Each structure stands twice: as structure tokens, then as C-alpha cells.
Amino acid sequence: MSFLSYFKTYKKFGVFFSILCIIIITIIYNILNVKPKLPVWNPVSVSEELVDSSIQHKAKYHTIADFSLTNQNGETVTQDTYKNKIYVADFFFTTCQTICPIMTDHMYKIQKEILNDDDVMLLSHSVTPKIDSVAQLKKYAKEKGVIDRKWNLVTGNKKQIYELARKSYLAVKTDGNGDEYDMIHTENFLLIDKKRRIRGFYDGTQPEDIEKLLEDIETLKDES
């Protein structure tokens, strides 16, 4: 059999085998490059100082509780405002001169990145609601470049904010020196999914954590 005849005989097999190899390599590549899912955080996995003692044992099914607070425009903000949204939450106060300005600048950076993404929003809770009136929040929002449709700064009943912080978001400490609802906020940013579950904790003062948060938002969107 001449070389030409041999080639013609096995040409179809060679083409088939080449296509099969490409398919197998593509499948393997896609499997190896699948992003791992983000963890679902529950109270038992979080530092005890950030969690109310009544739920420290909880190992699954933890979600953000219903809430009703008031934003920088005097509008009521509830869990329905964030229905079917991924959002980033934090705790701050407008007169803070230590970590809050850094955190707010980083939240502003996140706002820029998600500006045209209808799936993602921001939510900042004041830990000094008596000081942070609607007027004070509005002033702060203007100074910091807050875009109302993307980012709510909220105030309200101190007990409710305390319970959200300690029993839902697992994000603040108590100082033990003031009234029973006194809080010391942390630098934590929380990534919340569309099922109202905590999917990540990030240091809101660290640029590298903000980059990781933005990456994780994309991972969470792929999961949804």
C-alpha cells in the first residue's frame, strides 16, 4: 500500500481522533477552571466576640433577619429593598475619624465598580443612630459621593441595629461600658447573597480585601 493510499484510509479516523482530543482537553480545562463556591457563614464559624451568645451554637441555616430602617432620604429601607440582590453591608458612624473614612472610601470604590450592575447594592448601618439623623446621613452621603439607587446609609432604632449587627451580620463587638445596646463597629464588610446568607467577611480598610470582594461578587453572580 502506497503512503498516499494509507493516508486516505486513515484520514477520517485521524480527523475524528483530533476532534475527540480537542473536546476532551476542553472539558478537562473547564473542570479545572471552575471557580469554587463561596462558603456560607454561620455563627458557629465566626469569632465569638462578634456573635450574640444566644446564637453562637448555630451551625446552619443562618440568614439576615427582616428589618425596617430609614435611609439618607428619609425613606424606609427593608429586606424587600434588597430582595433578589447581592449586597455588601457594613457598620459605621458619620463622626468616626479612625477607620470609617477609609471604609467609606472603599465602599465608594465598590459603588463605582457595580454602578451599572442591577444585581448588586450596598448597605451601611449607623451604630450611633441618635447622632446620625436623616439630615446628618444626607450631608455625609453628599460629601462621600453616595448614589442613592446603589447605596443606602441607614439609621433607626438602636436596639434593632444592635440585633442586626450581633444576630444577623455578626459584625460588631459590644464594649460593656455603656447601655445594653452599645456597639463597637469593626472594619468588616459582609457579602450577602440573594438568599440573605453571609458569603464572605472582608477587611474594609485593606485594598487587597476590596479586590477579593469584587472578585467574590462575580463568583456569587455565576452561582446565582
Side-chain angles (χ1 to χ4, degrees):
M1 180 185 292
S2 68
F3 177 78
L4 185 59
S5 298
Y6 180 87
F7 178 78
K8 287 179 178 178
T9 302
Y10 289 97
K11 180 180 179 182
K12 289 183 179 179
F13 174 78
V15 171
F16 171 78
F17 184 75
S18 298
I19 292 172
L20 181 63
C21 288
I22 292 170
I23 291 171
I24 291 171
I25 292 170
T26 301
I27 291 171
I28 293 172
Y29 177 83
N30 287 334
I31 290 173
L32 293 176
N33 281 275
V34 170
K35 292 181 181 178
K37 285 190 175 183
L38 300 177
V40 176
W41 288 85
N42 290 286
V44 73
S45 303
V46 179
S47 173
E48 289 186 0
E49 66 180 351
L50 299 174
V51 184
D52 188 86
S53 60
S54 66
I55 61 166
Q56 285 175 357
H57 64 282
K58 192 172 183 180
K60 56 185 178 179
Y61 307 130
H62 180 73
T63 57
I64 306 304
D66 290 354
F67 58 90
S68 181
L69 299 165
T70 305
N71 74 2
Q72 65 268 25
N73 296 309
E75 301 165 339
T76 299
V77 173
T78 73
Q79 68 282 348
D80 288 337
T81 309
Y82 290 82
K83 187 175 181 179
N84 295 322
K85 301 290 185 183
I86 293 167
Y87 69 97
V88 181
D90 75 336
F91 290 80
F92 81 114
F93 59 104
T94 61
T95 56
C96 167
Q97 298 300 315
T98 53
I99 62 174
C100 291
I102 301 170
M103 292 170 65
T104 302
D105 287 347
H106 283 156
M107 197 67 97
Y108 176 77
K109 178 180 179 181
I110 298 170
Q111 178 184 246
K112 286 177 63 178
E113 295 296 325
I114 64 163
L115 192 57
N116 297 313
D117 190 335
D118 292 337
D119 282 336
V120 190
M121 293 178 66
L122 309 176
L123 178 60
S124 294
H125 309 74
S126 171
V127 297
T128 59
K130 287 185 179 179
I131 296 172
D132 289 333
S133 63
V134 170
Q136 177 69 6
L137 289 179
K138 188 64 176 178
K139 179 175 179 289
Y140 189 81
K142 287 181 177 179
E143 291 172 353
K144 300 301 181 179
V146 171
I147 296 174
D148 294 338
R149 64 182 173 84
K150 299 301 293 183
W151 185 0
N152 287 295
L153 313 181
V154 291
T155 188
N157 178 273
K158 189 172 184 180
K159 178 182 178 183
Q160 182 184 183
I161 294 174
Y162 174 91
E163 290 189 345
L164 282 169
R166 299 277 296 163
K167 295 182 180 182
S168 283
Y169 293 102
L170 320 179
V172 306
K173 304 174 185 179
T174 57
D175 63 10
N177 296 320
D179 67 45
E180 62 178 322
Y181 302 123
D182 269 1
M183 296 170 275
I184 299 177
H185 76 93
T186 65
E187 67 280 358
N188 285 333
F189 282 4
L190 299 308
L191 179 59
I192 312 300
D193 69 14
K194 293 182 180 182
K195 296 180 181 178
R196 297 162 65 177
R197 301 175 299 182
I198 300 172
R199 304 303 296 274
F201 290 82
Y202 310 85
D203 186 332
T205 67
Q206 298 299 319
E208 58 270 25
D209 271 34
I210 304 308
E211 293 302 321
K212 178 65 166 59
L213 171 53
L214 291 169
E215 291 174 7
D216 286 353
I217 287 173
E218 293 304 313
T219 299
L220 202 52
K221 286 175 63 180
D222 290 341
E223 178 184 316
S224 300

